Amino acid sequence: MDNNIDFKDLWKQQAVSPPNIEELLSKLKYFKRVSLRKLVITNVLLIATSAFIIFIWYFYQPEFISTKIGIILTISAMLMYLFVYNKLVGFYKTVDRTQSNSEYLQKLISIKTKQHFLQSTMLSLYFILLGSGLCLYMYEYTSRMTIFWGIFTYVVMLGWIGFTWFYLRPKEIKKEQAKVNGLIAKFEAVNKQLSVNE
């Protein structure tokens, strides 16, 4: 009896099952639904936050010009981020069941490119404007505190911004990129399988 089994040949002879297209389309539909829901929640939260900041400005009537500039920078950061983020709606809405696999793939690559721009350039600009705005806004109120509490307030605020920037942001970016990259890889596999079968 021959005990020399060639595992490479056995592996090559295995039938490779192509990804199930219906399962892939349902994953794409789920990705689209989750992305649109996240976009709506982000819009509601940032618009509500901006409205609340405007209400505080109107109700408390800050005296320092730095406070007013801080409010304008903070609201500008939120509106600028939303303006760019909402451009993804068009990409999500144009993904439907009537498209071919290569069209799906092109849409996903476009979404990935837009997300990368949003997660790198726009988020950096957002955090710079938001951080500057908050620092300027807080100056009027911290100037009325003792030095210890003024420094403590800034340390807590900047610590939270740093935590968000260095820990939460990269974690969220990795998660979003993994979703899009996973879908792109699956559609590429389907396209390769279809081109082999033709």
Side-chain angles (χ1 to χ4, degrees):
M1 192 166 123
D2 187 15
N3 287 333
N4 294 332
I5 299 170
D6 190 351
F7 287 107
K8 284 185 184 175
D9 280 344
L10 283 175
W11 185 259
K12 286 178 188 175
Q13 290 170 11
Q14 278 187 330
V16 177
S17 60
N20 182 344
I21 193 68
E22 285 304 314
E23 180 185 325
L24 191 52
L25 290 175
S26 73
K27 284 183 180 182
L28 182 64
K29 186 178 176 184
Y30 176 76
F31 169 76
K32 178 181 168 180
R33 190 174 66 242
V34 168
S35 298
L36 285 171
R37 186 174 356 138
K38 186 177 173 189
L39 194 136
V40 168
I41 290 169
T42 302
N43 271 278
V44 169
L45 288 175
L46 289 182
I47 290 170
T49 304
S50 296
F52 180 69
I53 291 169
I54 291 168
F55 168 76
I56 288 173
W57 185 354
Y58 176 77
F59 190 73
Y60 287 105
Q61 292 294 313
E63 297 170 12
F64 290 14
I65 191 74
S66 62
T67 310
K68 295 171 185 173
I69 293 170
I71 289 171
I72 291 168
L73 283 176
T74 303
I75 292 172
S76 298
M78 293 178 194
L79 295 178
M80 175 205 61
Y81 184 78
L82 283 179
F83 177 75
V84 175
Y85 191 34
N86 285 331
K87 288 187 176 184
L88 282 173
V89 171
F91 285 96
Y92 293 137
K93 287 192 173 184
T94 55
V95 175
D96 60 27
R97 287 186 160 268
T98 61
Q99 295 172 323
S100 68
N101 289 334
S102 60
E103 287 174 323
Y104 282 132
L105 191 56
Q106 290 307 311
K107 288 283 180 197
L108 287 170
I109 290 169
S110 296
I111 288 171
K112 180 181 176 179
T113 304
K114 290 278 183 193
Q115 277 186 344
H116 178 71
F117 174 72
L118 187 72
Q119 293 163 346
S120 58
T121 307
M122 292 313 297
L123 261 184
S124 298
L125 193 54
Y126 172 78
F127 271 96
I128 289 167
L129 286 174
L130 186 69
S132 303
L134 287 173
C135 286
L136 287 169
Y137 175 79
M138 294 300 292
Y139 177 71
E140 180 174 343
Y141 305 106
T142 55
S143 67
R144 298 173 188 163
M145 300 176 182
T146 63
I147 291 175
F148 172 78
W149 286 111
I151 291 171
F152 179 78
T153 302
Y154 271 101
V155 166
V156 169
M157 182 186 64
L158 294 173
W160 175 251
I161 291 172
F163 173 73
T164 306
W165 177 259
F166 292 110
Y167 180 73
L168 295 180
R169 183 187 66 92
K171 197 173 176 182
E172 185 63 24
I173 288 172
K174 274 185 189 172
K175 196 165 81 172
E176 289 297 316
Q177 285 176 346
K179 286 179 194 173
V180 176
N181 289 340
L183 283 170
I184 287 172
K186 287 176 182 172
F187 273 103
E188 283 176 340
V190 167
N191 281 348
K192 283 178 187 171
Q193 188 70 31
L194 291 173
S195 65
V196 166
N197 292 339
E198 286 176 355

